[in-house]
Amino acid sequence: MHEDVERCVRAVQSKDARFDGWFFTAVLTTGIYCRPSCPVVPPKPENMRFFPSAAAAQQAGFRACKRCRPDASPGSPQWNERADLVARAMRLIADGVIDREGVPGLAARLGYSTRQVERQLRAELGAGPLALARAQRAQTARLLIETSSLPMSDVAFASGFASVRAFNDTVRQVFAMSPTELRDRVARGHPAATSGALSVRLPFRAPLCPDNLFGHLAATAVPGVEEWRDGAYRRTLRLPHGHGVVSLRPTPDHIACRLHLADLRDLSIAISRCRWLLDLDADPVAVDDLLRTDPALAPHVDKDPGRRVPRTVDPAEFAVRAVLGQQVSTAAARTHAARLVTAYGEPVDDPEGGLTHLFPGVDALAALDPETLAFPRARRTTLTTLIGALADGGIDLGAGSDWGRARELLAALPGLGPWTVEIIAMRALGDPDAFTPTDLGVRTAARALGLPVTPAALTRHAAAWRPWRAYAVQYLWATGEHAINRMPA
């Protein structure tokens, strides 16, 4: 995108917010970089330079615009759409792998040498993994500086910096202000939060239809782990350095996110996982434009454009819940999951609601007695086999996983049929092209819309929806009256 100069110039001159996160505009005469929708008067085209990432612009010596805050723009949708090395690397960097394991740890997870990872990231993004992680640390630092009353030394280490000096230097280079000046710049009348509670705005590309997104999460919520309270979806989070509780409330132009974290070093990871959960980095215009070409889907796309795919904050948790939900109702699946939570979940305190536990990790679930599970023996075997494969690392469903390989390994497990594999691919792996032609809701909708009903024929018809078949499923489900399609009262 950033190499198409004419298209980039048009986007900047029209202040087109659809391209925020796709590329960044640096201005030679001012030494700053902006998002395409920056409200200032656009510079002359000859003074514009375009970069594929904020890290590349920073590495070239440009500072972040104080008006449009380009470092806080939605992420590039490419990292959600693709499953190649660069996309997998970007998802892992967003999940904090470099801060925890360094570049060698990133390369090991990807199965490539550090040199190969470095080379491919530089070729496509203009910056290596360390620079990309540094840009993410800078954004986390700004959030903590502006939204908390933490001492700057605590902000530095919570943001992932190895020293206060590196923190100060980075903030000055990226934002052209000292940390103290950034904090003083926050408007009066907006008191900073305590170290335990942070409020963050999560941007997205419009349009966004919250109905199926929050309706699905609320309708399938596991008691004690998730709840719908006062117009917000709330849940507990298992994070690398501790646990957290998040509240996510939809508003017309952003998602209001309120976080309670046991360890502030988890801030950027928690935000990244919440964005992934709500599919906030999607490009709804591209998705809907393609799906509108099918006359059967067009009226439903026009009625509620911007549907997202509800995902998960914990892929292993979702895989377990997918097996619990096989061939039972939504209510029964919640009941089975709630029993596991009560028996094996880790208790937590919720300062603002009724959440009581973290969903049990696979290590804890590996100790469960199959005889205590109140469903058929074959499904018990499926569940325990899946838990064992996840616990010993035989199957990787994490941020940097290989989607194709994960599908193959899941399909090889006893009792995991195509529906379960594709649901896991859709919501845990985040594959935008996952498709469930055998799903009852999909087949019912297909019949009502005059589409083929048999799985083979429907799959052939759905080839025209690629690579967005997971979004087509959301529109098909929306034709029904299930609670997953409605925002709770």
Side-chain angles (χ1 to χ4, degrees):
M1 174 70 193
H2 73 286
E3 295 177 346
D4 189 340
V5 174
E6 291 186 8
R7 190 180 181 194
C8 289
V9 169
R10 289 197 303 271
V12 172
Q13 290 177 337
S14 62
K15 304 184 189 300
D16 196 333
R18 293 177 300 170
F19 293 98
D20 287 354
W22 278 98
F23 68 90
F24 296 84
T25 306
V27 186
L28 298 178
T29 52
T30 62
I32 66 171
Y33 73 94
C34 304
R35 61 173 75 193
S37 65
C38 184
V40 302
V41 177
K44 295 179 180 178
E46 59 265 28
N47 292 328
M48 298 182 193
R49 294 295 183 272
F50 303 107
F51 292 93
S53 65
Q58 293 169 17
Q59 203 165 43
F62 293 93
R63 305 182 306 275
C65 175
K66 299 172 185 176
R67 184 82 176 270
C68 70
R69 294 185 171 184
D71 59 302
S73 61
S76 171
Q78 297 179 79
W79 318 136
N80 288 0
E81 298 167 9
R82 293 163 39 184
D84 57 16
L85 171 61
V86 173
R88 292 166 59 203
M90 290 300 291
R91 291 197 288 271
L92 284 170
I93 292 171
D95 204 49
V97 166
I98 286 184
D99 289 337
R100 299 192 301 273
E101 304 173 22
V103 177
L106 172 68
R109 284 176 176 252
L110 295 169
Y112 289 82
S113 68
T114 56
R115 181 178 179 182
Q116 178 76 340
V117 172
E118 181 96 20
R119 185 183 67 80
Q120 292 212 26
L121 286 174
R122 286 188 179 278
E124 184 158 344
L125 294 167
L130 288 176
L132 292 162
R134 177 177 178 265
Q136 180 168 295
R137 285 195 291 271
Q139 181 182 353
T140 303
R142 181 181 64 77
L143 285 172
L144 287 172
I145 289 168
E146 296 183 345
T147 63
S148 79
S149 57
L150 285 174
M152 291 302 178
S153 58
D154 291 348
V155 171
F157 294 113
S159 304
F161 290 94
S163 69
V164 174
R165 180 177 180 179
F167 160 73
N168 287 328
D169 290 346
T170 297
V171 170
R172 287 193 181 96
Q173 290 171 8
V174 174
F175 303 110
M177 302 177 78
S178 70
T180 301
E181 289 171 333
L182 262 181
R183 179 165 284 175
D184 291 343
R185 190 169 174 267
V186 177
R188 294 184 182 275
H190 297 277
T194 65
S195 59
L198 295 168
S199 294
V200 181
R201 294 162 61 101
L202 304 183
F204 55 77
R205 292 178 182 83
L208 180 141
C209 175
D211 294 6
N212 76 300
L213 186 57
F214 286 91
H216 203 126
L217 294 173
T220 60
V222 176
V225 175
E226 304 166 284
E227 68 175 359
W228 181 264
R229 180 182 291 266
D230 299 330
Y233 167 76
R234 305 179 72 251
R235 72 155 291 150
T236 57
L237 302 171
R238 182 183 301 278
L239 299 164
H241 300 102
H243 68 270
V245 173
V246 65
S247 170
L248 297 166
R249 184 189 311 276
T251 75
D253 62 352
H254 69 277
I255 302 296
C257 171
R258 183 170 175 82
L259 283 160
H260 288 267
L261 299 173
D263 192 319
L264 286 173
R265 288 177 295 174
D266 288 323
L267 176 61
S268 65
I269 299 166
I271 291 174
S272 174
R273 292 184 183 180
C274 290
R275 294 191 63 81
W276 178 258
L277 169 72
L278 301 180
D279 196 14
L280 297 185
D281 290 328
D283 183 356
V285 174
V287 173
D288 290 350
D289 282 352
L290 176 66
L291 297 183
R292 279 193 187 95
T293 61
D294 189 318
L297 291 182
H300 302 280
V301 175
D302 291 336
K303 178 183 177 183
D304 291 306
R307 290 191 182 275
R308 301 300 208 271
V309 178
R311 293 181 179 153
T312 180
V313 294
D314 186 333
E317 171 192 319
F318 182 81
V320 169
R321 290 171 60 174
V323 172
L324 295 177
Q326 286 179 327
Q327 300 178 348
V328 298
S329 67
T330 300
R334 294 179 66 203
T335 299
H336 288 314
R339 289 172 181 163
L340 288 185
V341 168
T342 301
Y344 301 97
E346 180 182 337
V348 299
D349 293 325
D350 178 10
E352 296 182 349
L355 303 178
T356 59
H357 289 79
L358 296 175
F359 194 89
V362 290
D363 290 337
L365 291 175
L368 67 81
D369 179 2
E371 298 302 321
T372 63
L373 302 175
F375 40 78
R377 184 173 298 276
R379 191 135 45 94
R380 295 182 203 171
T381 302
T382 299
L383 181 63
T384 54
T385 305
L386 171 65
I387 291 170
L390 293 171
D392 65 16
I395 295 180
D396 177 15
L397 303 179
S401 60
D402 181 319
W403 294 346
R405 178 62 175 161
R407 270 189 172 91
E408 292 174 4
L409 294 173
L410 287 169
L413 296 180
L416 280 188
W419 180 88
T420 309
V421 171
E422 286 303 298
I423 284 292
I424 293 173
M426 181 187 298
R427 298 191 55 195
L429 298 176
D431 184 351
D433 200 38
F435 188 54
T436 54
T438 61
D439 180 84
L440 178 60
V442 168
R443 296 179 68 183
T444 300
R447 182 178 293 106
L449 297 178
L451 298 173
V453 175
T454 64
L458 184 56
T459 298
R460 287 193 295 271
H461 181 90
W465 303 338
R466 306 192 75 166
W468 311 120
R469 292 185 300 178
Y471 294 87
V473 169
Q474 307 308 310
Y475 283 106
L476 291 172
W477 279 342
T479 62
E481 295 298 323
H482 197 284
I484 64 170
N485 297 317
R486 300 186 300 274
M487 283 270 287

